Amino acid sequence: MSGALRDGLLGAALFLLLWEGVVRLFGVPPWILPPPSGILVTTWAARASLLPAMLATGQEALAGYAIGAVLGILLAMLLALAAPLRRLLLPVIIAVNAVPVAAYAPLALLWFGTGPLSKIVMVAFVVGFTVFLNTLDGLLRVDPAGIALLRSFGASRLGVMRRLRLPAALPDIAIGLRVSTVRSMIVAIVTEMLGSQSGLGWTIYEAVLQIDFLRVWAAILLASLLSLAFFGAVGVLERRVVFWR
Amino acid sequence: MTGAAERLDAQLTVAAPPVGRVKLSLNGVARSFGAVRALDRVDLSIAEGEFVTLIGPSGCGKSTLFNILAGLLEPDPGGTLLLDGAPAPSGSLLGRIAFMPQRDLLLPWRTVLDNAILAAEIQGQKKREARELARSMAAEFGLKGFENHYPQQLSGGMRQRVALMRTFLFDREVMLLDEPFGALDALTRALMQRWLLDLWSRYRRTILFITHDIDEAIFLGDRVTVMSARPGRITLDRTIPLPRPRQPSLLTAPEFMALKRELLEAVEEESLKAFAANGP
Ligand SMILES: Nc1ncnc2c1ncn2[C@@H]1O[C@H](COP(=O)(O)OP(=O)(O)O)[C@@H](O)[C@H]1O
Ligand SMILES: [Mg+2]
C-alpha cells in the first residue's frame, strides 16, 4: 500500500469516528445527521434495491464518459489541425459550455426521455467539453521547435499530430479525463433527480419524498464510493500511460 | 558488424563522388524579421563531404541560416540557394537535409532507440527494420546497453549522442549541426569532438557545424567561416590545412595557435560590434 493511500484511509477513518462521536455525544436527531454506523446498517439492509440503482447510475456515467471522451479528443484534434475552423467554433463552444449543466438537463429529458439515454447524453456532453478543452490546450501548447524538427524530417501535419502533438498532449488529456470521472457521476445523478425511473439520483429523490433520510445517506454513500473508485481507476491508468511525467 | 549496419555503410560511402563537387551553394541569401535584419546576403559554398564550421557572436543569425537551409524558414526574395547545383525553393528543402537543432528535443515517451529512428520512421521506413539498424549502431554511438532507456535517464552527453544518431539515421548527405556540444562540460565536449570526427571520416557526410568555441571550430573543420554581428554575413572563410586524423595534442601545436590567433581577431571584432550594438 502506498503512503498516500494509507494516510488517506487513516484520515477517512478518523473523520468517520469524529462524526459518529459528535452525533452520539450531542444526540443529533437522525433526520438532521445520522451516524455513519446507521448509514452502513441501512445500506446493507437495503442492498437489494440500492445495488441495482448503483449499477444503473454507473452504467450511464461510464457510457456517457466513454462517448464524451472519444468525441472530445477527436474534435480537439480536428480543431488543432484546422485553425480557421477553430477560430470560428471555439467562441461558440466556450459560450455553450459556460452555462451550468443543470440548465440543459430538462431539455435532455424532453428530447431523450426519462430513460438512461438522456443521462448518457448529458454526461457525454459535459465530459466531452472538459476533455475537449484540456486536449486542445495540450495539442496547441507543443514546443514549436519540436514541430520544426519533425517538419525538417519531412513530416506532414498529420504526422506531426500523431508523433508529436498527441503524445505531448497526453498529460493534459489525462487531467481532463480524471476531472471528468467525478463530473460524470454528478451529472448522471443530477439528471436522474430531474426525471428517471432508476439510479441513485432517483433513489435519493424518492427517499426525500418519503422522508427516509437514512436511505438518502445510503445512496450518497454508494455514489461517493463509485465516484472514488472511478477516479482512482483513471488515476492508476494515467500513471501508466503518462509514465514520463 | 551486422548486415544492416554494413548496408548503411555501403550506402553512405560507396557512392561518394570525388571531394570538390559543390553540394550546397548560397548566394546573397538574406532574411529579415519585420524591421530586424537577421541575415544579410550570405554567400557560402560547401563541397561534398566537407566539414565546415560556422562561428559568430550570439544573435548574429546562425540559427536563422540553419532554419532556411532546413526549409523551415523562407529567405527574403533575391538570393539563390542551390542544392546539388539545382535551385532549391524553401518548401522543397523539407525532408532533404538532416537538421540537428540547438536543443536535443528528444521525446520523453520514446526510448533511446525509438528517438533515434524518429526521422527514419517519418520517412516511411518499417519500425522494426529501423530499430534493427539503430540497435546495430548503438555501440558506435556509445549507447550500448541504453537502447531501452528513456531520455530522462541519460546524461547530457548521451542525450546529444542520441540526437546525433537520429540525425545520422536520417540518411541525408548534408547535415546541419547547431551547437551540438554547447551545453556539455569541457571534458565531455573534447571526447565528443573526436568521436564526431571519427564518425564523419567513416560516413563522409557534408557537415555544416555551428559553434561559439574557436578551438572547436578549428579542430573540427576543413574550413572555418566567421559570421558578422547582426545583420549576419560571412566575413571570413578560412581553410584549415591541418592534417587528419586530428589528435588532441593538435590543440597546443604552433600551427593551431597561429590559426587561432587569426580567427580570434576576426571573431573578437564582430563580438565587440555586437556588444556595442546590443549591450552585454
Ligand atoms: N522567428 C523570429 N522572429 C523574430 N525575430 C527572430 C526570429 N528568429 C530569430 N530572430 C532574430 O534574429 C536574430 C538572429 O537570431 P538567431 O539566428 O537565433 O541567432 P544565433 O543563432 O546566431 O544566436 C536575433 O536577433 C533574433 O532575435
Ligand atoms: Mg542559435
Side-chain angles (χ1 to χ4, degrees):
Chain A
M1 203 191 300
S2 77
L5 183 59
R6 197 191 50 226
D7 291 351
L9 286 177
L10 189 68
L14 283 176
F15 173 72
L16 290 177
L17 270 179
L18 187 72
W19 177 352
E20 183 86 29
V22 167
V23 168
R24 284 176 186 264
L25 194 66
F26 297 103
V28 181
W31 44 270
I32 291 192
L33 187 66
S37 58
I39 297 172
L40 281 176
V41 169
T42 307
T43 307
W44 181 250
R47 61 186 185 279
S49 65
L50 283 178
L51 284 182
M54 183 163 91
L55 200 66
T57 303
Q59 281 171 342
E60 289 160 5
L62 206 61
Y65 181 89
I67 295 168
V70 169
L71 290 182
I73 292 171
L74 286 180
L75 183 64
M77 283 169 68
L78 178 71
L79 293 200
L81 285 169
L85 194 63
R86 177 170 74 244
R87 281 192 292 273
L88 212 65
L89 288 185
L90 202 54
V92 181
I93 292 175
I94 288 173
V96 172
N97 184 43
V99 180
V101 207
Y104 296 111
L107 291 176
L109 292 167
L110 183 69
W111 293 333
F112 304 105
T114 53
L117 186 60
S118 54
K119 285 80 195 170
I120 293 173
V121 169
M122 283 301 292
V123 172
F125 182 71
V126 170
V127 170
F129 272 122
T130 309
V131 173
F132 164 78
L133 289 173
N134 275 282
T135 305
L136 188 65
D137 197 42
L139 292 176
L140 296 181
R141 211 158 19 75
V142 172
D143 184 359
I147 296 173
L149 179 69
L150 264 73
R151 286 183 57 222
S152 83
F153 291 151
S156 64
R157 284 142 70 85
L158 244 97
V160 172
M161 171 62 74
R162 181 176 145 203
R163 292 198 170 81
L164 182 64
R165 284 190 197 272
L166 204 53
L170 275 180
D172 297 279
I173 298 176
I175 290 171
L177 289 176
R178 187 150 36 92
V179 172
S180 292
T181 54
V182 177
R183 284 193 195 169
S184 72
M185 287 295 297
I186 296 172
V187 172
I189 287 172
V190 167
T191 314
E192 280 169 1
M193 285 177 175
L194 293 174
S196 180
Q197 295 104 38
S198 64
L200 290 174
W202 178 70
T203 304
I204 292 171
Y205 178 75
E206 220 189 22
V208 169
L209 290 185
Q210 293 163 4
I211 328 182
D212 184 354
F213 288 99
L214 270 167
R215 194 173 160 79
V216 172
W217 281 99
I220 291 174
L221 172 70
L222 290 182
S224 305
L225 289 179
L226 193 58
S227 198
L228 212 60
F230 196 6
F231 184 82
V234 170
V236 167
L237 216 64
E238 174 185 343
R239 273 193 296 281
R240 284 174 158 255
V241 175
V242 192
F243 59 89
W244 61 93
R245 271 292 167 99
Chain B
M1 207 190 272
T2 70
E6 253 164 47
R7 264 205 314 286
L8 183 79
D9 244 3
Q11 230 172 317
L12 295 168
T13 48
V14 170
V19 170
R21 218 185 78 181
V22 175
K23 188 78 206 169
L24 192 64
S25 159
L26 285 80
N27 221 307
V29 170
R31 169 73 200 209
S32 299
F33 295 104
V36 177
R37 193 153 178 78
L39 219 54
D40 187 31
R41 282 177 287 121
V42 168
D43 303 325
L44 183 64
S45 171
I46 303 176
E48 195 141 39
E50 205 175 12
F51 197 134
V52 177
T53 52
L54 177 64
I55 194 163
S58 76
C60 73
K62 304 183 296 292
S63 294
T64 301
L65 177 63
F66 268 25
N67 282 327
I68 290 173
L69 292 177
L72 294 166
L73 196 65
E74 193 129 10
D76 293 340
T80 53
L81 204 168
L82 306 180
L83 182 60
D84 287 320
S90 186
S92 78
L93 284 166
L94 285 171
R96 290 179 66 193
I97 284 181
F99 170 48
M100 176 172 165
Q102 216 162 337
R103 287 183 292 135
D104 61 54
L105 298 173
L106 298 177
L107 304 179
W109 54 86
R110 281 177 173 248
T111 61
V112 163
L113 274 193
D114 285 354
N115 264 291
I117 64 166
L118 180 64
E121 207 185 303
I122 287 169
Q123 286 294 312
Q125 211 177 333
K126 286 244 170 24
K127 218 169 170 163
R128 210 177 45 77
E129 279 171 27
R131 273 208 195 109
E132 191 191 323
L133 176 60
R135 202 183 303 280
S136 72
M137 289 168 71
E140 198 177 7
F141 282 80
L143 296 165
K144 188 109 199 119
F146 292 90
E147 292 91 339
N148 297 318
H149 282 54
Y150 286 90
Q152 312 76 289
Q153 302 170 295
L154 304 181
S155 67
M158 287 185 113
R159 290 179 66 106
Q160 285 301 357
R161 287 202 291 271
V162 179
L164 269 165
M165 189 170 170
R166 180 183 63 197
T167 317
F168 268 91
L169 279 172
F170 182 37
D171 207 2
R172 295 296 179 269
E173 284 166 46
V174 181
M175 287 181 35
L176 308 175
L177 310 180
D178 194 348
E179 295 194 28
F181 308 144
L184 304 180
D185 63 89
L187 199 64
T188 311
R189 176 193 288 227
L191 290 172
M192 297 278 284
Q193 289 167 356
R194 267 175 289 147
W195 167 80
L196 177 63
L197 283 185
D198 195 45
L199 269 184
W200 171 69
S201 66
R202 254 174 299 144
Y203 291 123
R204 274 296 158 183
R205 303 283 177 85
T206 306
I207 294 183
L208 185 54
F209 184 109
I210 291 179
T211 176
H212 51 231
D213 178 342
I214 296 191
D215 283 349
E216 184 169 75
I218 302 171
F219 185 72
L220 294 177
D222 291 321
R223 275 159 61 205
V224 176
T225 52
V226 177
M227 198 180 247
S228 68
R230 208 181 64 213
R233 59 187 310 182
I234 308 289
T235 48
L236 186 70
D237 190 334
R238 182 70 167 87
T239 302
I240 305 296
L242 301 172
R244 294 184 189 273
R246 295 178 181 169
Q247 302 301 332
S249 58
L250 186 66
L251 289 164
T252 48
E255 56 274 36
F256 188 95
M257 288 303 182
L259 282 164
K260 186 172 173 178
R261 195 168 312 124
E262 181 188 335
L263 284 162
L264 210 52
E265 264 170 40
V267 172
E268 205 128 277
E269 197 178 315
E270 292 310 328
S271 298
L272 280 175
K273 274 190 221 157
F275 187 83
N278 308 319

